[in-house]
Amino acid sequence: MEEQQLIRLSKRMSKALRHHPERVGLTLDAAGWVPVSDLLSALGVSRSALDEVVARNNKNRFAFDPTGTRIRASQGHSVPVDLGLTPMPPPPVLYHGTVAAALESIKAEGLRPMNRHHVHLSATRDTAVAVGARRGRPLVLEIDAAAMAADGHEFYVSANGVWLTDHVPALYLQE
Ligand code: HQG
Protein backbone atom coordinates (compact mmCIF):
# COMPACT_ATOMS: atom_id res chain seq x y z
CA MET A 1 0.00 0.00 0.00
CA GLU A 2 1.18 3.55 -0.74
CA GLU A 3 2.16 5.63 2.31
CA GLN A 4 -0.59 8.19 1.57
CA GLN A 5 -3.21 5.50 1.45
CA LEU A 6 -1.91 4.01 4.68
CA ILE A 7 -2.17 7.37 6.47
CA ARG A 8 -5.67 7.97 5.12
CA LEU A 9 -6.91 4.61 6.34
CA SER A 10 -5.19 5.07 9.71
CA LYS A 11 -7.02 8.39 10.15
CA ARG A 12 -10.36 6.80 9.30
CA MET A 13 -9.61 4.05 11.82
CA SER A 14 -8.73 6.63 14.51
CA LYS A 15 -12.03 8.38 13.93
CA ALA A 16 -13.95 5.10 14.10
CA LEU A 17 -12.09 3.59 17.08
CA ARG A 18 -11.34 6.69 19.17
CA HIS A 19 -13.73 9.50 18.44
CA HIS A 20 -16.87 8.84 16.39
CA PRO A 21 -17.69 5.12 16.13
CA GLU A 22 -21.40 5.96 15.72
CA ARG A 23 -20.71 7.83 12.47
CA VAL A 24 -19.76 4.55 10.80
CA GLY A 25 -22.37 2.50 12.65
CA LEU A 26 -19.98 0.94 15.20
CA THR A 27 -20.38 0.51 18.95
CA LEU A 28 -17.23 0.01 21.02
CA ASP A 29 -17.46 -2.31 24.01
CA ALA A 30 -16.53 -1.04 27.48
CA ALA A 31 -12.83 -1.61 26.82
CA GLY A 32 -12.90 -0.08 23.35
CA TRP A 33 -12.93 -3.31 21.30
CA VAL A 34 -14.95 -3.97 18.14
CA PRO A 35 -15.15 -7.17 16.12
CA VAL A 36 -12.66 -6.94 13.25
CA SER A 37 -15.37 -8.06 10.80
CA ASP A 38 -17.59 -5.13 11.88
CA LEU A 39 -14.78 -2.65 11.33
CA LEU A 40 -14.02 -4.09 7.89
CA SER A 41 -17.60 -3.67 6.74
CA ALA A 42 -17.99 -0.26 8.42
CA LEU A 43 -14.94 1.09 6.55
CA GLY A 44 -15.35 -1.01 3.41
CA VAL A 45 -11.78 -2.34 3.52
CA SER A 46 -10.17 -5.77 3.20
CA ARG A 47 -8.62 -7.71 6.05
CA SER A 48 -5.22 -7.53 4.37
CA ALA A 49 -5.42 -3.71 4.12
CA LEU A 50 -6.35 -3.53 7.80
CA ASP A 51 -3.54 -5.86 8.80
CA GLU A 52 -1.11 -3.71 6.86
CA VAL A 53 -2.19 -0.51 8.65
CA VAL A 54 -1.97 -2.19 12.07
CA ALA A 55 1.50 -3.56 11.27
CA ARG A 56 2.96 -0.48 9.57
CA ASN A 57 1.32 2.31 11.60
CA ASN A 58 4.04 4.75 12.66
CA LYS A 59 2.82 4.86 16.27
CA ASN A 60 1.33 1.38 16.56
CA ARG A 61 -1.98 3.07 17.29
CA PHE A 62 -4.12 -0.07 16.89
CA ALA A 63 -3.96 -3.53 18.43
CA PHE A 64 -5.74 -6.82 17.94
CA ASP A 65 -6.83 -8.87 20.95
CA PRO A 66 -4.95 -12.15 21.49
CA THR A 67 -7.44 -14.07 19.32
CA GLY A 68 -7.12 -11.61 16.43
CA THR A 69 -10.89 -11.27 16.18
CA ARG A 70 -11.22 -7.89 17.89
CA ILE A 71 -9.38 -4.59 17.43
CA ARG A 72 -9.10 -1.32 19.36
CA ALA A 73 -7.08 1.88 19.52
CA SER A 74 -4.36 1.56 22.17
CA GLN A 75 -4.91 5.11 23.49
CA GLY A 76 -6.11 8.56 22.49
CA HIS A 77 -9.88 8.08 22.84
CA SER A 78 -12.33 10.90 23.32
CA VAL A 79 -15.27 8.50 23.77
CA PRO A 80 -15.52 6.87 27.20
CA VAL A 81 -13.66 3.56 27.31
CA ASP A 82 -11.82 1.80 30.10
CA LEU A 83 -8.65 0.35 28.62
CA GLY A 84 -8.08 -1.67 31.80
CA LEU A 85 -4.49 -0.51 32.16
CA THR A 86 -2.64 -1.27 35.40
CA PRO A 87 -0.82 1.55 37.18
CA MET A 88 2.92 1.38 36.49
CA PRO A 89 5.88 3.15 38.07
CA PRO A 90 6.94 5.84 35.58
CA PRO A 91 10.50 6.70 34.54
CA PRO A 92 11.82 9.55 36.72
CA VAL A 93 11.34 12.16 33.98
CA LEU A 94 8.64 12.34 31.30
CA TYR A 95 8.08 14.95 28.59
CA HIS A 96 5.11 16.77 27.13
CA GLY A 97 5.21 18.57 23.79
CA THR A 98 3.03 21.62 23.42
CA VAL A 99 3.18 25.16 21.99
CA ALA A 100 3.86 28.58 23.54
CA ALA A 101 0.23 29.66 23.17
CA ALA A 102 -0.85 27.04 25.73
CA LEU A 103 1.86 27.86 28.26
CA GLU A 104 0.14 30.52 30.36
CA SER A 105 -2.90 28.34 30.89
CA ILE A 106 -0.74 25.26 31.58
CA LYS A 107 1.25 27.20 34.18
CA ALA A 108 -2.01 28.23 35.85
CA GLU A 109 -3.82 24.90 35.90
CA GLY A 110 -1.24 22.27 35.01
CA LEU A 111 -1.64 19.78 32.15
CA ARG A 112 -5.20 18.64 31.65
CA PRO A 113 -6.54 15.85 29.40
CA MET A 114 -8.59 18.37 27.36
CA ASN A 115 -10.69 16.22 24.96
CA ARG A 116 -8.94 12.95 25.74
CA HIS A 117 -9.11 10.69 28.81
CA HIS A 118 -5.63 11.31 30.05
CA VAL A 119 -2.74 13.69 29.75
CA HIS A 120 -0.36 12.11 27.21
CA LEU A 121 3.30 12.09 28.12
CA SER A 122 6.34 10.93 26.17
CA ALA A 123 9.28 8.90 27.38
CA THR A 124 11.72 10.85 25.23
CA ARG A 125 12.26 14.50 24.45
CA ASP A 126 12.31 13.72 20.71
CA THR A 127 8.83 12.24 20.80
CA ALA A 128 7.56 15.26 22.74
CA VAL A 129 9.06 17.56 20.10
CA ALA A 130 7.15 15.66 17.42
CA VAL A 131 3.90 15.83 19.42
CA GLY A 132 4.25 19.60 19.98
CA ALA A 133 5.19 20.19 16.33
CA ARG A 134 1.67 19.09 15.28
CA ARG A 135 0.46 22.49 16.54
CA GLY A 136 3.32 24.87 15.70
CA ARG A 137 6.76 25.57 17.03
CA PRO A 138 7.19 22.85 19.65
CA LEU A 139 7.84 23.61 23.28
CA VAL A 140 8.85 20.73 25.54
CA LEU A 141 7.89 20.57 29.20
CA GLU A 142 9.74 18.30 31.59
CA ILE A 143 7.66 16.45 34.16
CA ASP A 144 9.05 15.32 37.50
CA ALA A 145 7.30 11.96 37.30
CA ALA A 146 9.32 10.57 40.21
CA ALA A 147 7.96 13.27 42.51
CA MET A 148 4.44 12.83 41.17
CA ALA A 149 4.57 9.08 41.78
CA ALA A 150 5.98 9.65 45.27
CA ASP A 151 3.05 11.99 45.94
CA GLY A 152 0.55 9.29 44.92
CA HIS A 153 -0.27 10.20 41.30
CA GLU A 154 -0.92 7.15 39.14
CA PHE A 155 0.65 6.51 35.75
CA TYR A 156 -0.28 4.04 33.04
CA VAL A 157 1.54 3.03 29.88
CA SER A 158 -0.49 2.22 26.77
CA ALA A 159 0.25 -0.79 24.57
CA ASN A 160 2.11 1.57 22.23
CA GLY A 161 4.30 3.17 24.88
CA VAL A 162 2.47 6.43 25.61
CA TRP A 163 2.53 7.39 29.30
CA LEU A 164 -0.82 8.47 30.66
CA THR A 165 -1.92 10.24 33.82
CA ASP A 166 -5.02 12.14 34.93
CA HIS A 167 -3.55 15.57 35.58
CA VAL A 168 -0.11 17.10 35.97
CA PRO A 169 -0.22 19.90 38.55
CA ALA A 170 1.96 22.85 37.54
CA LEU A 171 4.39 22.34 40.40
CA TYR A 172 5.80 19.22 38.67
CA LEU A 173 6.41 21.02 35.37
CA GLN A 174 9.52 22.69 34.11
CA GLU A 175 10.18 24.34 30.74
C1 HQG B 1 -2.70 21.28 25.67
C2 HQG B 1 -1.08 12.27 19.25
C3 HQG B 1 -4.13 24.81 27.76
C4 HQG B 1 -1.66 20.22 25.39
C5 HQG B 1 0.22 12.70 19.86
C6 HQG B 1 -1.98 19.89 23.93
C7 HQG B 1 0.09 12.30 21.30
C8 HQG B 1 -3.44 22.64 27.59
C9 HQG B 1 -3.49 20.07 23.84
C10 HQG B 1 -1.40 12.30 21.52
C11 HQG B 1 -3.62 22.44 28.96
C12 HQG B 1 -4.24 18.76 23.87
C13 HQG B 1 -1.81 13.39 22.47
C14 HQG B 1 -4.07 23.53 29.74
C15 HQG B 1 -2.92 20.60 28.12
N1 HQG B 1 -4.32 24.68 29.11
N2 HQG B 1 -3.71 23.81 26.98
N3 HQG B 1 -4.28 23.43 31.06
N4 HQG B 1 -3.30 21.17 29.26
N5 HQG B 1 -3.01 21.48 27.09
O1 HQG B 1 -3.99 16.29 20.99
O2 HQG B 1 -0.70 15.66 24.17
O3 HQG B 1 -1.44 10.90 16.52
O4 HQG B 1 -5.39 16.07 23.09
O5 HQG B 1 -0.36 20.72 25.56
O6 HQG B 1 1.31 12.12 19.21
O7 HQG B 1 -1.00 17.06 22.04
O8 HQG B 1 -3.41 10.95 18.05
O9 HQG B 1 -2.94 16.00 23.29
O10 HQG B 1 -1.36 20.79 23.06
O11 HQG B 1 0.61 11.05 21.60
O12 HQG B 1 -1.94 8.94 17.96
O13 HQG B 1 -3.86 20.84 25.00
O14 HQG B 1 -1.98 12.53 20.26
O15 HQG B 1 -1.10 10.94 18.95
O16 HQG B 1 -4.04 18.12 22.63
O17 HQG B 1 -1.36 14.64 21.97
P1 HQG B 1 -4.16 16.57 22.43
P2 HQG B 1 -1.40 15.93 22.89
P3 HQG B 1 -2.04 10.40 17.80
Side-chain angles (χ1 to χ4, degrees), residues 18 59 61 75 96-98 102 105-106 109-116 120 131 134-135 162:
R18 288 169 160 183
K59 290 188 190 165
R61 289 180 179 87
Q75 38 68 228
H96 179 84
T98 188
S105 161
I106 291 173
E109 53 185 30
L111 288 172
R112 296 195 298 112
M114 311 307 274
N115 288 329
R116 308 200 194 229
H120 286 221
V131 171
R134 287 151 58 237
R135 297 175 193 282
V162 177

Side-chain angles (χ1 to χ4, degrees), residues 49-133:
L50 184 77
D51 285 346
E52 195 172 340
V53 172
V54 173
R56 286 178 55 197
N57 190 261
N58 60 344
K59 290 188 190 165
N60 292 314
R61 289 180 179 87
F62 312 102
F64 293 112
D65 74 355
T67 68
T69 59
R70 297 186 308 165
I71 185 167
R72 74 177 180 186
S74 293
Q75 38 68 228
H77 300 77
S78 55
V79 295
V81 298
D82 179 359
L83 295 172
L85 301 174
T86 341
M88 290 277 283
V93 176
L94 285 166
Y95 302 90
H96 179 84
T98 188
V99 284
L103 198 58
E104 198 182 327
S105 161
I106 291 173
K107 278 183 174 162
E109 53 185 30
L111 288 172
R112 296 195 298 112
M114 311 307 274
N115 288 329
R116 308 200 194 229
H117 289 190
H118 296 98
V119 176
H120 286 221
L121 302 173
S122 310
T124 68
R125 183 175 285 277
D126 283 356
T127 307
V129 167
V131 171

